[in-house]
Amino acid sequence: MSIVRYDNPARTLDKLFYFDPFTEFARAFGQPATSTPAPSPWSPAVDVAETEDAITLHVELPGMKLEELDIELTGDTLTLRGERQRVKEEQKDNFVRVERSYGRFQRSFTLATPIQHDKVSAAYRDGILEITLPKSEETKPRKIAVTAEA
């Protein structure tokens, strides 16, 4: 029994726009392809949550070191940059298939809510980077007391 990889819709869509005649010719005649499609750029998965007090990002960065990460907040744009290095010991192994992605990445997020720049915090634990962006006081909801006039 062979292992079959499930393709997510984004990768399947990429294949629609990438045509490799050598791969298609080999597939038509039931032979293994000698050419492989271009690797898709690596981009870490990010969950964004918003509460009344803050915006929190959880970024999946397994196997990365803090020195490989760069976080920058400029105006209303949060930018994450980094590079996941391939482990040196693995390069001497004879791989049949490599599915983990390596290389540089950059993700930018435009924040629609003003942030307290001096109170932004980031923590990296178990391969998850958590960035907390506290909202400015003027954007937090406030209760307004209503007084009755006699």
Side-chain angles (χ1 to χ4, degrees), residues 21-148:
F22 297 107
T23 303
E24 297 305 319
F25 184 77
R27 184 179 297 149
F29 290 100
Q31 297 179 2
T34 56
S35 176
T36 58
S40 59
W42 178 64
S43 183
V46 178
D47 292 339
V48 180
E50 183 174 4
T51 64
E52 289 182 4
D53 299 325
I55 297 172
T56 306
L57 283 81
H58 292 92
V59 187
E60 285 186 357
L61 299 167
M64 290 192 65
K65 298 176 183 158
L66 289 176
E67 303 84 43
E68 299 170 334
L69 298 174
D70 180 35
I71 305 168
E72 186 178 292
L73 181 60
T74 307
D76 64 346
T77 304
L78 176 70
T79 304
L80 307 173
R81 288 185 198 91
E83 182 173 5
R84 182 161 43 187
Q85 302 290 330
R86 189 170 203 161
V87 179
K88 302 295 186 246
E89 297 85 37
E90 291 183 9
Q91 290 183 346
K92 60 185 171 187
D93 292 338
N94 187 13
F95 284 104
V96 174
R97 183 176 188 122
V98 175
E99 291 189 357
R100 294 183 294 164
S101 299
Y102 300 95
R104 294 182 186 272
F105 71 88
Q106 179 173 328
R107 299 276 317 254
S108 293
F109 301 89
T110 301
L111 307 169
T113 306
I115 300 297
Q116 295 180 31
H117 288 255
D118 57 335
K119 295 187 180 179
V120 173
S121 64
Y124 186 63
R125 180 175 48 256
D126 297 330
I128 304 292
L129 174 66
E130 181 179 315
I131 304 170
T132 305
L133 305 154
K135 293 181 179 178
S136 293
E137 292 297 324
E138 62 266 7
T139 62
K140 293 181 183 177
R142 286 183 270 164
K143 293 195 177 207
I144 300 172
V146 179
T147 57

